[in-house]
């Protein structure tokens, strides 16, 4: 009739009971010997011997043999069980390797502290021996925070030199991605970074340059809603943007927070740079440029072109001014605009005055 009789049921029940005995024996080997202090490798060895013995019975004895029947009657079940065990152990090993790798990386990463490590002292030695900076100035750089608006032509060299100089916290805000056309002048990015948000590309290269600094990337556009609150968190702001709307926005927020603003601009062969700081007697950006010029009078780099090294010159000058503002070294470029003409190798300084009727800083 095809139905299982009482004898078949007994065989099936006995088979399950004996398989359960084998599994319980395995559990006893693992947990019992563990309680007795047996090493993990020894316990695994005994489990392996038990598994090999049971599997050997299934392979060596003919079908229908009582011992083979008592331990399952087929090698397939034990092979599946062994497969699951191998997958589980492999998974655990991978997790352990990843954890060890992460811990090793964390241990190797330099620890950021309030004091200088021997590596940092050696790294910043050329700063420390400068009379105008010294150890106190380098400590001021370590404790300082600088926000760079724009990770493009001007931001690229400024960010690199601020990181190399040991400025403790550097923020960078930009909503753009790296493009092939950027690489002619935006030297903080590389060909492999094309398509990556500029702030993350800049962060990667800055951390590779100096792992002792903290980089805060803001992958978004500077807007009215965030400008004042964001800028208030920093000691100095560098504006390397290429549009007047953002320049006015950053200028207004810096005035509200009494934060010095280092501003740069460039076109074709000429660049300019100034420090706008009305809280300390200098004019603000709107004092000098009360209104945005007509678009055809201030074309973008894409429209007018720009010689590749020029952003490096102006951006580096901006980084120098930031370092001077932080350390108190020398005289910052407050109330003056430095203009560099790369085509003819000329430098000019123009004195700037505050406008009493400036709608932004006139009441300060």
């Amino acid at each position: 009739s095809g139905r299982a009789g009482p004898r078949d049921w007994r065989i099936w029940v006995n088979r399950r009971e004996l398989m359960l005995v084998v599994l319980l024996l395995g559990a006893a080997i693992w947990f019992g010997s563990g309680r007795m202090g047996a090493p993990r490798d020894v316990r695994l060895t005994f489990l392996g011997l038990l598994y090999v013995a049971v599997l050997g019975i299934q392979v060596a004895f003919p079908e229908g043999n009582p011992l083979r029947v008592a331990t399952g009657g087929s090698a397939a079940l034990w092979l599946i069980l062994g497969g699951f065990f191998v997958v589980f152990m492999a998974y655990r090993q991978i997790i352990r390797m990843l954890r060890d790798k992460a811990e090793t990386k964390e241990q190797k990463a330099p620890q950021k502290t309030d004091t200088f490590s021997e590596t940092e002292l050696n790294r910043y030695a050329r700063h420390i021996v400068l009379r105008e900076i010294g150890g106190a100035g380098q400590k001021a750089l370590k404790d300082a925070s600088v926000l760079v608006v724009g990770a493009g032509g001007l931001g690229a060299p400024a960010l690199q030199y601020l990181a190399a100089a040991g400025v403790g916290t550097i923020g960078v805000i930009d909503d753009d991605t790296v493009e092939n056309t950027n690489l002619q002048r935006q030297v903080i990015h590389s060909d492999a970074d094309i398509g990556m948000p500029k702030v993350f590309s800049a962060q990667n290269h800055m951390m590779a340059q100096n792992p002792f600094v903290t980089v805060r990337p803001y992958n978004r556009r500077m807007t009215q809603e965030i400008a004042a609150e964001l800028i208030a968190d920093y000691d100095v702001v560098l504006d390397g943007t290429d549009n007047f709307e953002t320049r006015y926005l950053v200028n207004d927020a810096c005035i509200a927070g009494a934060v010095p603003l280092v501003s740069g601009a460039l076109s074709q062969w000429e660049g300019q740079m100034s420090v706008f700081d009305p809280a300390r007697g200098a004019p603000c950006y709107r004092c000098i440029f009360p209104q945005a010029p007509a678009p055809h009078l201030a074309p973008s780099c894409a429209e007018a072109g720009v010689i590749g090294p020029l952003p490096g010159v102006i951006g580096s000058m901006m980084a120098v001014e930031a370092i001077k503002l932080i350390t108190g070294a020398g005289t910052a470029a407050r109330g003056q605009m430095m203009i560099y003409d790369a085509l003819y190798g000329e430098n000019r300084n123009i004195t700037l005055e505050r406008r009493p009727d400036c709608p932004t800083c006139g009441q300060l």
Side-chain angles (χ1 to χ4, degrees):
S1 62
R3 295 182 180 180
R7 182 175 179 277
D8 297 325
W9 280 108
R10 285 195 300 271
I11 293 174
W12 184 78
V13 170
N14 291 337
R15 182 184 302 173
R16 287 193 61 187
E17 290 177 347
L18 288 170
M19 288 184 65
L20 183 60
V21 168
V22 173
L23 294 176
L24 289 175
L25 180 59
I29 292 173
W30 180 257
F31 296 106
S33 56
R35 282 182 173 275
M36 291 186 293
R40 182 171 175 271
D41 292 343
V42 173
R43 289 182 287 161
L44 285 174
T45 300
F46 279 115
L47 279 181
L49 291 174
L50 176 63
Y51 178 78
V52 169
V54 173
L55 194 60
I57 291 173
Q58 298 298 323
V59 174
F61 288 81
E63 187 175 353
N65 183 278
L67 193 57
R68 179 173 175 179
V69 172
T71 53
S74 172
L77 179 63
W78 293 102
L79 289 172
I80 293 173
L81 184 62
F84 276 118
F85 180 78
V86 170
V87 170
F88 173 74
M89 295 302 295
Y91 173 77
R92 286 194 58 181
Q93 185 63 26
I94 292 172
I95 295 298
R96 186 178 292 109
M97 290 173 59
L98 291 175
R99 186 185 299 114
D100 292 343
K101 184 177 180 180
E103 290 176 353
T104 302
K105 186 176 180 180
E106 184 177 348
Q107 291 172 0
K108 289 182 177 180
Q111 300 297 313
K112 297 180 176 66
T113 63
D114 292 334
T115 58
F116 290 107
S117 65
E118 184 177 349
T119 302
E120 288 176 286
L121 289 172
N122 185 52
R123 178 172 299 218
Y124 306 133
R126 270 62 173 179
H127 271 178
I128 295 173
V129 299
L130 288 174
R131 182 179 67 255
E132 298 83 1
I133 295 182
Q138 192 62 48
K139 182 63 165 62
L141 288 172
K142 184 182 182 70
D143 295 338
S145 59
V146 177
L147 175 66
V148 178
V149 185
L154 292 172
L159 288 166
Q160 285 181 308
Y161 277 108
L162 291 172
V167 174
T169 302
I170 304 171
V172 52
I173 180 168
D174 198 314
D175 67 342
D176 202 3
T177 57
V178 179
E179 299 179 3
N180 184 47
T181 55
N182 301 146
L183 303 184
Q184 166 252 11
R185 63 201 177 281
Q186 299 179 19
V187 293
I188 201 169
H189 310 298
S190 65
D191 188 75
D193 299 322
I194 292 176
M196 179 186 296
K198 286 184 178 179
V199 293
F200 299 132
S201 169
Q203 180 188 30
N204 291 341
H205 291 281
M206 292 164 70
M207 295 305 296
Q209 167 79 24
N210 189 353
F212 295 100
V213 303
T214 298
V215 181
R216 299 176 181 169
Y218 306 98
N219 184 29
R220 59 178 302 176
R221 188 175 185 82
M222 179 70 81
T223 62
Q224 186 73 46
E225 291 75 22
I226 67 168
E229 184 177 357
L230 177 60
I231 286 174
D233 285 340
Y234 290 88
D235 302 316
V236 180
V237 173
L238 274 62
D239 182 5
T241 57
D242 59 358
N243 67 87
F244 282 88
E245 178 185 358
T246 305
R247 290 174 186 169
Y248 287 131
L249 177 62
V250 172
N251 175 74
D252 296 350
C254 284
I255 293 173
V259 179
L261 170 62
V262 183
S263 180
L266 37 83
S267 178
Q268 297 184 327
W269 294 85
E270 188 174 278
Q272 63 187 39
M273 189 276 304
S274 183
V275 175
F276 298 111
D277 193 6
R280 296 162 185 83
C284 77
Y285 185 82
R286 203 179 287 271
C287 288
I288 313 305
F289 303 100
Q291 292 182 341
H296 69 279
L297 296 178
S300 66
C301 291
E303 297 168 327
V306 61
I307 186 67
L310 180 63
V313 175
I314 305 301
S316 298
M317 292 170 65
M318 294 170 67
V320 169
E321 290 302 312
I323 292 172
K324 287 161 60 181
L325 288 168
I326 294 167
T327 62
T331 302
R334 296 186 179 98
Q336 58 178 313
M337 179 174 289
M338 293 183 284
I339 300 175
Y340 171 62
D341 186 335
L343 188 60
Y344 297 102
E346 296 177 351
N347 292 288
R348 290 173 288 163
N349 275 5
I350 299 176
T351 300
L352 307 176
E353 299 288 344
R354 286 184 63 181
R355 289 176 51 227
D357 61 340
C358 175
T360 307
C361 73
Q363 301 302 316
L364 295 180

